[in-house]
Amino acid sequence: MNHINSNLSGIYATLVGRVDEAITLLEQMAEEQTFDWFHLIQVTELLKNALLEAEEGYIELAVEEPDSSLTDLPPH
């Protein structure tokens, strides 16, 4: 289970880092007033890729540890 927590922490840290990078780019665009389609698409792709990478890591972890609670739904 410690292996799972370590991997989840890594997935989370990567996701947070990517989101922080996207926010920084948006803040720079606002500060410099350099809004353009290229930069907006760049931020969009950064966020989509971050989510995709996190999702893939989570799925890989669930496959490696099928008996863990990774695939259990939370109670309603």
Side-chain angles (χ1 to χ4, degrees), residues 5 23 25 29 31 33 42 47-48 59 64 67 72:
N5 289 339
I23 290 170
L25 289 172
M29 284 190 286
E31 184 178 307
Q33 298 181 351
Q42 183 181 22
L47 291 169
K48 286 191 322 189
I59 290 169
E64 289 174 10
D67 295 333
D72 293 344

Side-chain angles (χ1 to χ4, degrees), residues 60-74:
E60 284 178 24
L61 190 56
V63 169
E64 289 174 10
E65 303 286 342
D67 295 333
S68 71
S69 63
L70 290 171
T71 55
D72 293 344
L73 295 175

